[in-house]
């Protein structure tokens, strides 16, 4: 009686924090990768947006660095139940990258170097909710955490934040990615605890 688990209340030395249901707080930054860390030389690295009409928009590493960047501070929630609060990033907003892209698509399938994919509604990439992040905590993003650049879309479970991001494919119809095909929830809102299909 009377014992309130940190998992439910999210109370901690960090002050009064509220965590999504079923999450616990960690101060580490665990590495979760379904395979080896791909190494892409920066001179060969590119990021593409491909529309449903097959139009390809391309950015080299230099192009990405030349775009205006922002420094979001965000909370991360992994489906394996750890949350890490107040993480500091630098990257380019998807609003900037998608500004000149003409599309009627409602869905996005994100592709990574190494073959990983994950899907989400296009609107979840817009309005200051998602970035192509290339620095973490004041340093170049480490390869194991997705460097040189990863998608950061922190309002969804972290499996949606594709590491080693290579491109975004815009689609008229939704297409499940790697974990979504394996039974993870199609959308993955941590606040609604959408971990697995049927949640
Ligand atoms: N390309 C790629 N991106 C990925 C993954 C992966 O295996 N490959 N794992 C996802 C999962 S399940 C999680 S929880 C986070 C982990 O990010 P981290 O290793 O930086 O903590 O990356 C996501 N992005
Ligand atoms: Mo994960």
């Amino acid at each position: 009686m009377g014992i309130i688990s940190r998992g439910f209340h999210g109370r901690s030395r960090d002050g009064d924090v509220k965590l999504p249901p079923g999450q616990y707080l960690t101060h580490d930054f665990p590495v979760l990768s379904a395979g080896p860390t791909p190494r892409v030389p920066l001179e060969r690295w590119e990021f593409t947006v491909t529309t449903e009409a097959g139009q390809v928009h391309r950015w080299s590493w230099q192009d990405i660095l030349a775009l205006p960047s922002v420094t979001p501070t965000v909370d991360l929630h992994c489906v394996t139940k750890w949350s890490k609060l107040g993480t500091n990033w630098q990257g380019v907003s998807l609003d900037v990258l998608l500004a000149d892209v003409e599309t009627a698509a409602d869905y996005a399938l994100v592709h990574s170097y190494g073959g990983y994919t994950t899907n989400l509604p296009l609107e979840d990439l817009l309005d200051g909710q998602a970035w192509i992040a290339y620095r973490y905590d004041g340093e170049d993003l480490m390869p194991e955490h997705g460097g040189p650049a990863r998608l950061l879309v922190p309002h969804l479970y972290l499996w949606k934040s594709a590491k080693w991001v290579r491109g975004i494919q815009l689609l008229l119809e939704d297409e499940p990615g790697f974990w979504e095909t394996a039974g993870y929830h199609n959308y993955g809102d941590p606040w609604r605890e959408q971990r697995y299909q049927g949640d």
Side-chain angles (χ1 to χ4, degrees):
M1 280 281 290
I3 295 172
I4 296 164
S5 128
R6 250 168 72 159
F8 289 118
H9 234 216
R11 218 175 261 275
S12 76
R13 280 165 301 172
D14 302 89
D16 233 349
V17 294
K18 199 168 177 319
L19 291 176
Q23 297 294 110
Y24 67 86
L25 204 55
T26 182
H27 294 277
D28 306 329
F29 194 173
V31 171
L32 286 109
S33 306
T37 295
R39 310 276 168 170
V40 186
L42 290 181
E43 60 274 14
R44 280 202 291 124
W45 185 94
E46 65 171 15
F47 174 75
T48 59
V49 171
T50 307
T51 71
E52 73 279 11
Q55 202 184 5
V56 184
H57 301 252
R58 243 173 246 286
W59 292 265
S60 69
W61 184 249
Q62 296 305 326
D63 295 336
I64 292 287
L65 292 186
L67 289 171
S69 68
V70 287
T71 53
T73 297
V74 299
D75 301 338
L76 309 178
H77 307 295
C78 176
V79 72
T80 64
K81 302 200 168 179
W82 57 267
S83 290
K84 183 173 177 61
L85 304 185
T87 62
N88 297 307
W89 300 82
Q90 183 179 347
V92 179
S93 170
L94 262 298
D95 293 309
V96 171
L97 294 160
L98 293 170
D100 298 326
V101 174
E102 269 185 57
T103 182
D106 285 327
Y107 302 99
L109 184 61
V110 185
H111 295 261
S112 293
Y113 291 99
Y116 184 85
T117 56
T118 187
N119 62 306
L120 67 173
L122 177 54
E123 66 178 4
D124 286 81
L125 291 174
L126 300 173
D127 298 324
Q129 298 186 92
W131 302 270
I132 300 299
Y134 50 78
R135 284 173 76 79
Y136 170 77
D137 229 5
E139 313 263 5
D140 290 344
L141 181 57
M142 310 82 107
E144 60 269 32
H145 284 300
R150 78 182 296 170
L151 177 67
L152 180 63
V153 51
H155 70 287
L156 301 176
Y157 280 123
L158 199 56
W159 88 77
K160 301 284 184 180
S161 291
K163 305 198 282 189
W164 317 296
V165 67
R166 178 168 68 84
I168 294 174
Q169 187 185 357
L170 302 176
L171 297 167
L172 297 176
E173 286 183 52
D174 200 9
E175 222 177 274
F178 177 79
W179 284 118
E180 294 83 4
T181 304
Y184 280 33
H185 197 276
N186 194 55
Y187 184 62
D189 178 352
W191 296 97
R192 288 186 278 167
E193 208 168 0
Q194 295 173 334
R195 298 178 193 275
Y196 307 106
Q197 268 167 43
D199 286 349

